[in-house]
Amino acid sequence: MSIFKIICLSITCCWLMVGCHTAPEAPTAAETAAPTLPEGVIQLTDTQYQNTTITTTQVQQKNIADNLLVNGKIDVPPQNLVSISVPMGGYVKSTQLLPGQHINKGQVLAVVEDQQYIQLQQDYLMAQAKLHFADLEYRRQKDLNDQQAGSSKAVQQAENQVREQNVILAGLKQKLRLVNINPDQISEDNITQSITISSPISGFVSKVNVNIGKYVAPSEILFELVNPSDIHLNLKVFEKDLGSIALGKKVLTYPNATPDKKYHCEIILISKDIATDGTTEVHCHFENYDKTLIPGMYMNALITTTNRNIDVLPESAVVSFEGKYYVFIETGKQQYRLQAIDIGKNTDGWIEIKQAQTLQGQKVVDKGAYALLMKAKNTEEE
């Protein structure tokens, strides 16, 4: 054998030996991947679990009140709403009232002046003088008649004059009192051209319709006053809901502007009339009066209708996605399954769970439910 053939044979043998000792190829990613989880099941790694606060709870029963949501406004009974006017009219000389201002009973609201008040006092003083003269004439005619120097007819005429003047004087007294002028304080040296208008109640001013110098007729309203000691809540309830309410039912109400500020009321009157919009008035009394509640203020209210035992979960346990509701159930160590549910009412942080038998005995994630939902969405996108 030639030397060339011997060299080629040696090289071939070396390649064969190298090929026999080559390391096996590394397995692919598909060969080493973890087993596929069932659909809707999430497995957290140790790091993910440590970085997420997760607690579990179970379905429980609670006595929940069914509430009827209605609206209305603060109102006062007619006897607590006072319109102030001037019986004889006049010009407003002075007033210092502003809407919302507190006033006390007897406090001067305004001063009004007019020449007719002067004339009224003048008529009263002249009626007094005429009565005095008529009384003297009656006495004189009576004495003459007793002495048979006069006639009975003259006595009767004089007596009639006294009665007429008494009637006129009595009427003028009432007119003076009507405009807040004391007849006993009127004299030739004490005639006033103005009158004072005083408040008949304690409360606050709701409306001011005049200004200084304005002439007001007897039919005009100068001020509107409110006595808030008996304010109540006037609710509008639809006819179809009347069967679920009754006298004595409890009501929780709150203003539109401050929904966190709640007030407790009780139904005291249900109107028997149905308005054209299909509603009736339901009047409620406040358990505690708050001076910040002003007549005319709009309010929302929850009327408690019935109490019932229902299956509930904390609202933090229920997550929503694309218009549906879900909970996460713990199925193993750091393993959670997404399950669709039907919900009912949401009351005081608790959500009613319908068909709750499918969750009985299960550990439902309370805290951390939305973190798991984000994890599930990210997994789907990958």
Side-chain angles (χ1 to χ4, degrees):
M1 181 179 297
S2 64
I3 295 175
F4 177 75
K5 290 183 177 180
I6 292 173
I7 293 172
C8 289
L9 181 62
S10 299
I11 292 172
T12 302
C13 290
C14 289
W15 278 107
L16 290 173
M17 292 175 66
V18 171
C20 292
H21 291 84
T22 301
E25 294 182 0
T28 63
E31 293 173 344
T32 59
T36 302
L37 295 172
E39 184 178 357
V41 175
I42 299 173
Q43 179 70 54
L44 298 182
T45 64
D46 291 341
T47 301
Q48 290 173 332
Y49 184 77
Q50 291 172 1
N51 292 334
T52 306
T53 301
I54 294 180
T55 61
T56 60
T57 186
Q58 290 188 337
V59 173
Q60 53 186 296
Q61 279 203 337
K62 279 191 173 292
N63 186 273
I64 301 295
D66 285 335
N67 294 318
L68 178 64
L69 179 61
V70 295
N71 55 65
K73 62 181 181 179
I74 302 297
D75 204 355
V76 292
Q79 64 269 24
N80 286 44
L81 183 62
V82 180
S83 296
I84 303 297
S85 59
V86 183
M88 295 181 64
Y91 294 90
V92 178
K93 182 179 180 181
S94 66
T95 181
Q96 296 181 344
L97 293 189
L98 294 173
Q101 181 178 339
H102 178 77
I103 44 101
N104 295 314
K105 185 175 181 179
Q107 179 178 335
V108 175
L109 305 178
V111 176
V112 178
E113 62 181 5
D114 196 89
Q115 62 180 3
Q116 62 184 323
Y117 303 127
I118 300 174
Q119 185 65 50
L120 180 61
Q121 296 168 83
Q122 179 181 327
D123 292 342
Y124 176 75
L125 292 175
M126 291 180 66
Q128 274 189 326
K130 288 181 179 180
L131 176 61
H132 179 68
F133 176 78
D135 186 60
L136 291 176
E137 179 64 17
Y138 167 69
R139 294 175 185 275
R140 189 176 72 84
Q141 291 294 336
K142 191 173 183 301
D143 289 341
L144 290 173
N145 188 53
D146 290 342
Q147 298 172 9
Q148 296 182 351
S151 65
S152 298
K153 182 178 179 180
V155 174
Q156 293 172 354
Q157 288 177 340
E159 184 180 8
N160 187 59
Q161 286 295 320
V162 172
R163 289 178 178 175
E164 287 181 357
Q165 289 304 315
N166 272 320
V167 171
I168 293 173
L169 195 65
L172 290 172
K173 277 186 178 181
Q174 294 304 318
K175 286 184 178 181
L176 288 168
R177 292 193 177 102
L178 190 63
V179 294
N180 202 27
I181 296 177
N182 188 350
D184 298 332
Q185 295 180 352
I186 298 175
S187 66
E188 297 176 5
D189 301 323
N190 185 26
I191 296 178
T192 179
Q193 64 182 9
S194 61
I195 63 170
T196 58
I197 302 173
S198 302
S199 174
I201 63 168
S202 293
F204 63 90
V205 182
S206 61
K207 290 183 181 179
V208 176
N209 301 321
V210 296
N211 54 269
I212 295 176
K214 180 180 179 180
Y215 179 83
V216 289
S219 59
E220 290 187 62
I221 304 299
L222 281 69
F223 313 103
E224 287 190 4
L225 312 179
V226 175
N227 178 0
S229 62
D230 193 28
I231 65 170
H232 63 266
L233 180 64
N234 185 358
L235 299 175
K236 299 289 187 180
V237 178
F238 283 98
E239 181 182 1
K240 63 181 180 64
D241 297 320
L242 289 178
S244 59
I245 64 174
L247 297 179
K249 285 284 187 179
K250 298 300 181 181
V251 178
L252 187 67
T253 184
Y254 53 92
N256 288 338
T258 54
D260 294 335
K261 200 166 186 180
K262 303 290 195 302
Y263 302 92
H264 295 276
C265 302
E266 181 179 321
I267 296 177
I268 58 172
L269 177 65
I270 301 175
S271 176
K272 304 301 180 183
D273 296 327
I274 305 295
T276 55
D277 60 355
T279 63
T280 190
E281 293 184 352
V282 175
H283 299 272
C284 310
H285 187 266
F286 285 91
E287 292 184 1
N288 296 299
Y289 165 65
D290 189 331
K291 63 181 180 180
T292 62
L293 298 175
I294 302 173
M297 179 183 291
Y298 285 94
M299 306 285 285
N300 294 311
L302 295 172
I303 302 177
T304 301
T305 55
T306 58
N307 292 320
R308 57 193 178 100
N309 290 322
I310 59 175
D311 296 308
V312 296
L313 281 172
E315 60 182 9
S316 57
V318 179
V319 296
S320 61
F321 179 62
E322 295 182 347
K324 296 182 179 180
Y325 297 92
Y326 302 88
V327 293
F328 283 96
I329 299 174
E330 187 178 75
T331 57
K333 182 180 179 182
Q334 300 172 202
Q335 193 175 88
Y336 307 93
R337 174 170 54 85
L338 186 67
Q339 180 170 325
I341 59 168
D342 293 327
I343 68 170
K345 292 182 176 294
N346 186 338
T347 306
D348 295 332
W350 297 92
I351 295 181
E352 178 184 3
I353 307 299
K354 299 180 178 179
Q355 292 87 38
Q357 62 273 12
T358 60
L359 300 178
Q360 293 296 338
Q362 303 280 1
K363 292 183 177 181
V364 180
V365 174
D366 179 6
K367 292 182 180 179
Y370 268 100
L372 292 177
L373 179 64
M374 297 302 297
K375 166 75 174 161
K377 290 173 61 178
N378 294 335
T379 302
E380 289 179 1
E381 293 173 357
E382 294 172 358

